[in-house]
Amino acid sequence: MAKKITIIGTGYVGLISAVGLADFGHNVTGVDINKIVVDTLNRGEPHIYETGLRDYLHKNLDSGRLTFSTDVAASIRDAEVIFISVGTPSNGDGSADLSQLFQAADDIKNNLNGYKVVVIKSTVPVGTNRKVADRLAADGTAVDVVSNPEFLREGKAIQDFFHPDRIIIGVESERAKSVMQDIYRSLYLIQTPVVWCNLETAELIKYASNAFLASKITFINQMANLCDAVGADIHAIAKAMGMDGRISPKFLHPGPGFGGSCFPKDLRALAAMGEERGVRMSLVREVIQANNAQKLLVIEKLKDLLNTLNRKTVAVLGLAFKAETDDVRESPAVSIVDGLLRAGCRINAHDPIAMDNFKKKFPDITYCDHEYMALQEADALIICTEWNEYRNLDLNRVKQCMKGNLILDMRNLLNREQAKQTGFIYRGMGR
Ligand code: NAD
């Protein structure tokens, strides 16, 4: 049966969930405290970049099943089910900052007007769902809290919403379980696996999954660094490893380190969570440190090749933390550009869609509308993001544009032999 759903927080997760749940036939209101975001969405303009999102937004706004509002109180009172998908960034000590989440929980508490199911989609440390449940239950109104962590990948978020590998639902009442079955009926019909568990298990599944994937990336990055030292080929190694069914070929691509709004902060929160309870989290700690070092490796490589970085012009292609997104949160390009600026470099930057977001962090570097413009008079080129348009760079044209002949290809996008034949000094990752 169609439900009246309110989603608090219409960022990457909340917006995708809002259009997706409306598409399943539910009546959805996305609420956000950011009026500009709400006005933009009501005009049918997504405020984030995600393939296919615009079409789904238009379709569901037109159907009348989807609307956006800044009126948190009215939207809560109107709903049977409330999803919380606000941000849970890092505190200074690495633990999760739950202020947005508890604000949303208090808003719900202050507007309870009957039984509601509160679904926490935000990534939250173990014990948070139960704390929210206790807070909401304090004045006796019947409320069920459900933990339903989100696993979407930015860049493939729409596809992931409609075809998830699995859905995790931490729920402890039959009434709420039946509501969740109604909400996800469309996915149930295509036989999406559902893991039913308690609140704590659901919370930890999310952190365990992210930490495992981040460790896999870090492992292959260190193997790539070793390949560089011994003359082995990381692609052959990753391929051969991936043929082992126990390992799988996914997440075995070397690069400049993982970034984004999830892995770095979730690892820090997981380490803090364990240590708070006296559990040694040395593996997670090492992954965090190794990844930070990986982000800066390219600067060391460049310094070795150029002797000095002072007054050198570096073209940086790719600013988003990965292709197909405009998200630059904790992107390797942020650490790399910051390090290069500190070393005295001038930066010419290009990204197909993430430049506006990057400008908020680095207003004073040169942004170029075209990748070849960024290469003009550059001493070196660093490729940071695996955008398709960089895979087929015309190397002769690159050569004509640049002053120097150094390419540091942090994603192994270019043909190494061709680059060498064109006269470049080429450094990839583990090749
Ligand atoms: P985001 O920062 O893009 O969006 C959060 C939104 O919540 C913002 O628009 C903000 O204005 C709004 N907000 C904050 N407090 C509010 C309140 N009290 N009332 C109404 N709106 C409020 O965050 P995101 O990237 O969508 O992530 C949300 C959560 O989902 C985080 O816990 C994150 O770890 C998790 N997550 C994110 C991803 C991802 O790929 N981005 C994937 C899986 C899980």
Side-chain angles (χ1 to χ4, degrees):
M1 210 171 63
K3 298 285 174 206
K4 280 180 106 175
I5 298 174
T6 281
I7 298 187
I8 303 181
T10 57
Y12 284 83
V13 168
L15 178 54
I16 300 295
S17 306
V19 295
L21 291 173
D23 210 72
F24 287 167
H26 302 296
N27 292 301
V28 180
T29 304
V31 277
D32 205 290
I33 44 174
N34 186 330
K35 187 174 180 328
I36 298 172
V37 163
V38 167
D39 290 346
T40 314
L41 291 172
N42 274 327
R43 284 199 306 274
E45 294 288 329
H47 65 101
I48 54 169
Y49 176 84
E50 201 55 60
T51 309
L53 174 59
R54 185 178 293 269
D55 292 344
Y56 274 101
L57 179 63
H58 286 181
K59 178 182 164 200
N60 289 290
L61 282 171
D62 291 349
S63 74
R65 287 192 304 274
L66 177 62
T67 180
F68 296 94
S69 166
T70 50
D71 192 341
V72 180
S75 308
I76 290 169
R77 284 199 292 272
D78 216 28
E80 305 168 76
V81 183
I82 302 156
F83 279 74
I84 304 181
S85 50
V86 296
T88 49
S90 283
N91 281 316
D93 64 357
S95 62
D97 171 357
L98 298 175
S99 54
Q100 295 180 36
L101 183 98
F102 285 125
Q103 177 61 55
D106 285 345
D107 289 339
I108 295 172
K109 185 177 163 62
N110 294 334
N111 290 286
L112 278 179
N113 54 349
Y115 175 74
K116 298 192 196 283
V117 175
V118 174
V119 185
I120 301 188
K121 262 212 165 295
S122 301
T123 304
V124 291
V126 175
T128 309
N129 275 265
R130 206 166 290 286
K131 268 188 207 155
V132 171
D134 291 346
R135 222 160 156 138
L136 293 178
D139 61 5
T141 314
V143 179
D144 279 313
V145 171
V146 174
S147 171
N148 175 213
E150 180 55 59
F151 292 88
L152 64 77
R153 294 164 298 173
E154 287 182 21
K156 297 201 165 56
I158 290 284
Q159 182 193 320
D160 286 348
F161 185 88
F162 290 108
H163 300 281
D165 290 336
R166 77 301 203 194
I167 307 171
I168 308 302
I169 304 183
V171 60
E172 296 178 356
S173 94
E174 285 304 319
R175 191 174 178 189
K177 185 173 179 182
S178 137
V179 169
M180 295 309 288
Q181 280 166 334
D182 280 345
I183 287 176
Y184 285 121
R185 186 156 310 282
S186 302
L187 294 179
Y188 174 75
L189 292 175
I190 58 167
Q191 299 189 338
T192 306
V194 181
V195 177
W196 300 97
C197 53
N198 70 9
L199 298 175
E200 288 75 12
T201 307
E203 290 167 328
L204 202 48
I205 287 171
K206 173 66 191 173
Y207 283 101
S209 303
N210 275 3
F212 190 82
L213 293 173
S215 305
K216 206 171 170 190
I217 295 174
T218 304
F219 179 85
I220 206 68
N221 283 343
Q222 289 200 338
M223 284 299 132
N225 299 344
L226 183 57
C227 284
D228 279 333
V230 301
D233 179 354
I234 193 65
H235 287 295
I237 291 172
K239 193 171 170 191
M241 284 174 65
M243 287 169 180
D244 186 327
R246 295 168 301 177
I247 296 176
S248 117
K250 294 191 176 157
F251 277 70
L252 287 179
H253 306 283
F258 57 80
S261 66
C262 291
F263 284 5
K265 84 163 170 64
D266 290 351
L267 264 71
R268 289 191 292 265
L270 179 59
M273 211 185 300
E275 286 155 8
E276 229 177 81
R277 291 163 174 83
V279 179
R280 204 162 156 246
M281 303 300 286
S282 53
L283 179 59
V284 177
R285 282 279 174 224
E286 180 52 34
V287 170
I288 295 169
Q289 275 174 21
N291 191 60
N292 290 340
Q294 187 74 12
K295 288 179 177 178
L296 299 176
L297 195 67
V298 67
I299 300 177
E300 287 165 31
K301 284 189 183 180
L302 191 60
K303 206 168 174 183
D304 280 350
L305 290 161
L306 286 173
N307 294 321
T308 174
L309 295 179
N310 195 26
R311 302 175 73 80
K312 299 291 181 188
T313 300
V314 181
V316 176
L317 296 190
L319 304 173
F321 82 94
K322 65 175 183 177
E324 307 301 328
T325 181
D326 60 351
D327 200 339
V328 301
R329 290 179 281 184
E330 303 210 32
S331 171
V334 170
S335 308
I336 292 167
V337 166
D338 183 56
L340 292 173
L341 288 174
R342 284 172 198 275
C345 293
R346 285 182 290 257
I347 308 287
N348 295 340
H350 173 267
D351 189 284
I353 55 172
M355 288 200 287
D356 285 346
N357 283 339
F358 210 78
K359 269 179 203 166
K360 292 175 199 156
K361 293 181 189 290
F362 297 99
D364 297 328
I365 62 173
T366 304
Y367 291 91
C368 304
D369 291 339
H370 203 276
E371 52 266 41
Y372 292 99
M373 277 168 66
L375 297 165
Q376 293 299 331
E377 295 302 305
D379 294 288
L381 159 62
I382 300 179
I383 300 178
C384 287
T385 314
E386 70 280 26
W387 285 104
N388 271 335
E389 39 266 81
Y390 302 150
R391 287 179 202 274
N392 292 312
L393 283 175
D394 175 345
L395 289 173
N396 286 314
R397 192 169 164 198
V398 172
K399 191 94 206 312
Q400 281 163 13
C401 293
M402 285 176 63
K403 188 164 77 189
N405 65 344
L406 287 182
I407 298 181
L408 292 104
D409 180 0
M410 304 304 288
R411 301 284 186 172
N412 289 348
L413 298 189
L414 304 181
N415 183 311
R416 179 181 49 169
E417 292 311 319
Q418 265 176 19
K420 284 184 179 163
Q421 279 161 18
T422 316
F424 286 103
I425 296 173
Y426 174 89
R427 295 283 185 275
M429 297 291 298
R431 296 202 288 175

